[in-house]
């Protein structure tokens, strides 16, 4: 075990995979020397050279498509966008091309690539640098979606993503990059996709969440404990594939569930989880399933407005208490 | 060229300079939320171009947009208050530095998406042509942005339909830490105009007189219905990519060389040499500008925060 930041854990995962497999390479803006937007690739160009840590022009559609073509022909590109918000620019290559290619072409090729998207609100970054589009990509058949919350999960999931033979959209929360944690040193430390992690055991309510909201939920659980409510926190880790079993088993135990996410609830991950619970565990519920996230407005700039919109520990505590 | 206009160009450039240097200090002191990309060193471009525009002409801007806003006539109180995230800001604190618009001045937004404004300016030009209202639109963008699909797609459309739009590339040689010639094969951006059948012009982006001249010509062309021009302004920014960024990628010698061309130092000397204004006149302008910026800071600090619930307003038009 080594103690390191989420950002360092991601960099370590990339470095280990690059050492293991010469076909892994990184593509993105300012990756070499500058280390990318959040320092994840810092130091990698020194070890692997700029043929494998490639600085791109500001052409998101172009270099995402570059990765799709490289992946179709034997490489394993790891693409970083400086902020996930502009995955919109890259989306044709991901949604119409990467996600469809294997299927349309009858399984004759595959697209083993990872799209790393720093995302999420906080810090008054404004509406074009704060959004998370994990719900969009989870909707698309042919893509996989991961969203780690801790340094260890970040490492284990990114390594799995790089070895996966499918396009993986990998959401890294901006507020997580500096979080510290124990990370296994084992270069074979892989976290399988579709395995949620119970970050805290509890018996009165299940909070199903992922990414940065896991930490908010854990804080909320401490406060709720004092008021006699024992909350179980499920970290989905991958949204697609989704670990339905862990969710359903937990709900059968606690009989209450809050589906929590940072972003808009309409057609969201939280909505999907709520629907699955209604289908598979309806008879076990002592209260209606509840969803909590942001209201349907873009993330505003001013701190008072941003705080009003984004979920936080207090709001989660309140939402849970309303269910008892 | 009109003497008053040249004096105003100095005043506007100096306003941008002082505004930006204040923003830098305030941001380092954590008095301003968010992050900031400063226009210091590039003032002559926004001012030269906007001096060739009418109040109702359109512009689209960038992440490095305070200069465009001020040059197009933006109110510094409202601009500063927006950076503070106050209710009195241009956009009620919803936008911040990278998302300020003032439609009444034709300012269709600074923009957090590199290349995002180029098609929007082209669309404003379509609107002007459609309504035959005689307006033109200017898209400001960086050298990095000229590698976005939006640049190529929009310019082709603007050219194909002879739209009254001027594409102004601010070539400061870098996009964040990346020397742009390492991710592009051509040295000049202006040559790309050829591919779309429009004129491409290169100009010294530290000289407001020169920038004004080429902008005026392009604006006149656009108003005559002869279509777009691509203007590449060679320039350099004095600070890091954003306030607080490492300066490890900056080329110190190159920066010093460009600082010798700093428009804020060079231009007033030229005006004095040409007998257009004297030293006292320049100092008077500087004093007025500095006072106005202090007032803008005071105004912003004394302004109320937005009501929290106002976060939910303005999502949809009625
Ligand atoms: C679509 C998109 N990609 C990347 C970024 C991150 N980013 C912000 S500014 C910038 C550099 C822009 O370079 P340039 O267009 O030359 O403008 P400059 O900063 O030099 O004025 C980058 C990469 C962004 N904001 N939007
Ligand atoms: Mg640039």
């Amino acid at each position: 075990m080594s103690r390191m930041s989420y950002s360092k854990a991601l960099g370590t995962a990339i470095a280990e995979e690059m050492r293991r497999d010469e076909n892994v390479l990184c593509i993105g803006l300012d990756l070499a020397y500058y280390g990318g937007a959040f320092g994840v690739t810092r130091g990698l160009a020194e070890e692997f050279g700029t043929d494998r840590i490639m600085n791109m022009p500001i052409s998101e559609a172009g270099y995402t498509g570059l990765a799709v073509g490289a992946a179709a022909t034997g490489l394993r590109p790891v693409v970083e966008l400086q902020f996930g918000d502009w995955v919109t620019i890259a989306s044709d290559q991901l949604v119409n091309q990467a996600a469809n290619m294997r299927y349309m072409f009858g399984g004759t090729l595959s697209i083993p690539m990872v799209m790393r998207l720093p995302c999420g609100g906080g810090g008054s970054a404004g509406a074009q640098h704060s959004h998370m589009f994990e719900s969009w990509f989870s909707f698309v058949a042919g893509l996989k979606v991961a969203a780690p919350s801790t340094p260890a999960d970040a490492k284990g999931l990114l390594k799995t993503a790089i070895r996966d033979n499918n396009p993986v959209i990998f959401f890294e929360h901006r507020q997580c990059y500096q979080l510290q944690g124990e990370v296994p040193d084992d270069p074979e430390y892989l976290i399988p996709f579709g395995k949620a992690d119970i970050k805290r055991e509890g018996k009165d309510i299940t909070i199903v969440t992922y990414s940065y909201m896991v930490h908010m939920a854990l804080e909320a659980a401490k406060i709720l404990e004092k008021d006699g409510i024992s909350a179980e926190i499920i970290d989905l880790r991958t949204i697609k594939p989704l670990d339905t079993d862990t969710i359903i088993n937990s709900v059968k135990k606690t009989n209450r569930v809050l589906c929590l996410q940072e972003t808009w609830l309409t057609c969201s991950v939280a909505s999907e989880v709520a629907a699955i619970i209604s289908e598979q565990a309806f008879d076990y519920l002592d209260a209606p399933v509840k969803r909590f996230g942001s209201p349907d407005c873009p993330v505003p700039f001013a701190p008072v407005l941003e705080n009003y919109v984004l979920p936080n520990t207090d709001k989660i505590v309140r939402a849970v208490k309303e269910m008892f | 060229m009109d003497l008053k206009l040249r004096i105003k160009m100095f005043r506007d450039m100096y306003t941008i300079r002082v505004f930006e240097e204040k923003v830098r200090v305030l941001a380092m002191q954590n008095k301003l939320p968010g992050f900031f990309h400063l226009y210091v060193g590039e003032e002559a471009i926004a001012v030269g171009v906007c001096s060739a525009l009418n109040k109702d002409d359109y512009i689209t801007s960038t992440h490095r947009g305070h200069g465009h806003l001020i040059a197009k006539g933006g109110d510094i109180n409202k601009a500063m208050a927006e950076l503070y995230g106050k209710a009195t800001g241009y956009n009620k604190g919803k936008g911040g530095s990278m998302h300020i618009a003032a439609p009444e001045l034709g300012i269709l937004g600074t923009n957090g998406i590199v290349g995002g404004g180029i098609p929007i300016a082209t669309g404003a030009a379509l609107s002007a042509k459609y309504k035959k209202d005689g307006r033109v639109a200017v898209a400001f963008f960086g050298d990095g942005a000229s590698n976005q699909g939006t640049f190529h797609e929009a310019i082709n459309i603007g050219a194909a339909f002879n739209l009254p739009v001027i594409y102004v590339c601010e070539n400061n040689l870098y996009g964040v830490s990346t020397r742009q010639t390492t991710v592009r094969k051509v040295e000049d951006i202006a040559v790309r105009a050829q591919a779309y059948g429009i004129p491409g012009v290169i100009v010294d982006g530290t000289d407001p007189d020169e920038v004004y001249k080429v902008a005026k010509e392009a604006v006149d062309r656009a108003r005559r219905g002869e279509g777009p021009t691509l203007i590449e302004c060679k320039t350099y920014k004095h600070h890091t990519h954003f306030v607080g960024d490492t300066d490890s990628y900056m080329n110190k010698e190159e920066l010093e060389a460009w600082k010798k061309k700093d428009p804020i130092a060079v231009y007033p000397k030229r005006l004095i040499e040409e007998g257009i204004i004297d030293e006292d006149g320049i100092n008077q302008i500087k004093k007025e500008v500095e006072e106005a910026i202090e007032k803008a800071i005071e105004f912003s600090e004394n302004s109320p925060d937005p009501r929290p619930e106002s976060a939910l307003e303005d999502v949809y038009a009625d």
Side-chain angles (χ1 to χ4, degrees), chain A residues 30 34 58-60 124 128 301-302, chain B residues 93 99 112 147-148 177-178 245:
Chain A
D30 303 287
Y34 191 71
I58 309 172
S59 311
E60 280 77 16
S124 284
Q128 294 176 335
F301 166 76
Chain B
H99 319 96
N147 292 323
Q148 281 289 29
S177 73
T178 302
D245 196 12

Side-chain angles (χ1 to χ4, degrees), chain A residues 27-70:
Chain A
I27 290 174
L29 299 181
D30 303 287
L31 297 188
Y33 311 113
Y34 191 71
F38 297 93
V40 169
T41 57
R42 198 164 290 147
L44 297 190
E46 287 78 348
E47 178 175 352
F48 299 104
T50 49
D51 287 344
R52 295 183 70 192
I53 303 292
M54 294 183 75
N55 281 354
M56 285 289 134
I58 309 172
S59 311
E60 280 77 16
Y63 63 80
T64 301
L66 184 79
V68 175

Side-chain angles (χ1 to χ4, degrees), chain A residues 38-119:
Chain A
F38 297 93
V40 169
T41 57
R42 198 164 290 147
L44 297 190
E46 287 78 348
E47 178 175 352
F48 299 104
T50 49
D51 287 344
R52 295 183 70 192
I53 303 292
M54 294 183 75
N55 281 354
M56 285 289 134
I58 309 172
S59 311
E60 280 77 16
Y63 63 80
T64 301
L66 184 79
V68 175
T73 50
L75 301 186
R76 291 185 171 271
V78 179
V79 180
E80 173 183 296
L81 298 189
Q82 280 184 350
F83 279 71
D85 300 65
W86 37 85
V87 70
T88 49
I89 300 168
S91 285
D92 175 66
Q93 290 296 328
L94 296 173
V95 175
N96 288 317
Q97 313 301 336
N100 286 344
M101 280 169 79
R102 180 174 174 79
Y103 183 81
M104 292 189 303
F105 303 147
T108 52
L109 50 72
S110 57
I111 311 293
M113 67 178 280
V114 182
M115 225 28 221
R116 295 185 34 242
L117 309 183
C119 63

Side-chain angles (χ1 to χ4, degrees), chain B:
Chain B
M1 211 181 136
D2 184 65
L3 303 186
K4 280 208 195 102
L5 182 63
R6 293 182 72 195
I7 292 171
K8 181 169 182 304
M9 289 210 296
F10 171 69
R11 178 186 290 270
D12 287 352
M13 290 198 302
Y14 193 67
T15 304
I16 296 170
R17 174 64 56 94
V18 178
F19 186 95
E20 295 292 65
E21 289 295 352
K22 282 288 173 190
V23 166
R24 200 163 86 90
V25 172
L26 293 167
M28 307 262 256
Q29 294 170 341
N30 277 325
K31 287 195 182 159
L32 296 176
F35 43 106
F36 297 92
H37 307 82
L38 304 181
Y39 201 60
V40 174
E42 306 190 10
E43 295 90 343
I45 302 171
V47 170
V49 170
C50 290
S51 298
L53 297 178
N54 298 333
K55 186 174 171 193
D56 64 358
D57 288 329
Y58 300 108
I59 66 166
T60 63
S61 167
T62 67
H63 56 288
R64 202 175 298 292
H66 309 159
H68 308 130
L69 180 76
I70 292 170
K72 190 66 177 55
D75 177 273
I76 56 174
N77 287 348
K78 288 186 184 174
M80 187 65 86
E82 187 62 29
L83 305 197
Y84 269 85
K86 295 299 183 80
T88 53
Y90 259 118
N91 307 112
K92 309 175 203 165
K94 288 200 167 87
S97 167
M98 279 190 286
H99 319 96
I100 307 187
E104 66 280 13
L105 297 168
I107 301 166
L108 301 176
T110 56
N111 207 315
I113 303 298
V114 170
I118 309 172
I120 296 173
T122 309
L126 171 66
S127 171
K129 188 179 178 198
Y130 191 95
K131 295 196 219 162
K132 302 190 178 66
D133 60 14
R135 298 184 198 190
V136 303
V138 171
F140 290 101
F141 53 91
D143 46 331
S146 77
N147 292 323
Q148 281 289 29
T150 51
F151 166 93
H152 298 273
E153 295 177 26
I155 295 185
N156 182 54
I157 293 170
F161 295 96
N162 266 329
L163 300 181
V165 51
I166 299 98
Y167 301 103
V168 178
C169 179
E170 306 178 315
N171 186 352
N172 59 13
L173 306 176
Y174 282 87
V176 194
S177 73
T178 302
R179 184 80 171 185
Q180 288 298 297
T181 44
T182 65
V183 292
R184 179 181 85 225
K185 195 126 182 183
V186 293
E187 178 70 29
D188 300 320
I189 309 289
V191 298
R192 293 178 166 178
Q194 269 179 39
Y196 303 106
I198 64 168
V201 195
I202 294 175
V203 65
D204 177 353
T206 63
D207 185 335
D209 292 335
E210 288 301 311
V211 172
Y212 172 81
K213 238 182 278 166
V214 298
K216 184 80 174 67
E217 211 176 305
V219 168
D220 290 347
R221 250 189 110 245
R223 286 204 216 282
R224 286 195 304 268
E226 292 167 26
T229 304
L230 171 60
I231 301 173
E232 175 182 1
C233 307
K234 303 284 192 188
T235 185
Y236 211 77
K237 63 185 179 336
H238 293 185
H239 295 305
T240 50
H241 175 63
F242 64 88
V243 180
D245 196 12
T246 167
D247 64 359
S248 61
Y249 53 84
M250 290 184 83
N251 180 331
K252 312 280 169 335
E253 281 154 41
E254 195 175 57
L255 173 59
E256 286 318 307
W258 278 90
K259 275 190 174 168
K260 296 210 173 77
K261 288 159 63 77
D262 180 358
I264 302 301
V266 172
Y267 196 57
K269 277 198 204 121
R270 184 189 299 168
L271 294 182
I272 293 168
E273 270 164 34
E274 293 183 21
I276 291 165
I277 192 169
D278 60 13
E279 190 87 42
D280 285 349
I282 292 288
N283 288 336
Q284 180 61 27
I285 291 174
K286 286 187 172 177
K287 192 165 150 259
E288 285 166 16
V289 166
E290 287 159 17
E291 281 169 10
I293 304 266
E294 283 309 325
K295 285 222 179 77
I297 294 170
E298 225 177 275
F299 169 80
S300 305
E301 292 189 347
N302 293 330
S303 288
D305 282 328
R307 286 173 297 109
E309 321 77 64
S310 71
L312 306 181
E313 298 163 6
D314 302 320
V315 180
Y316 294 99
D318 294 330

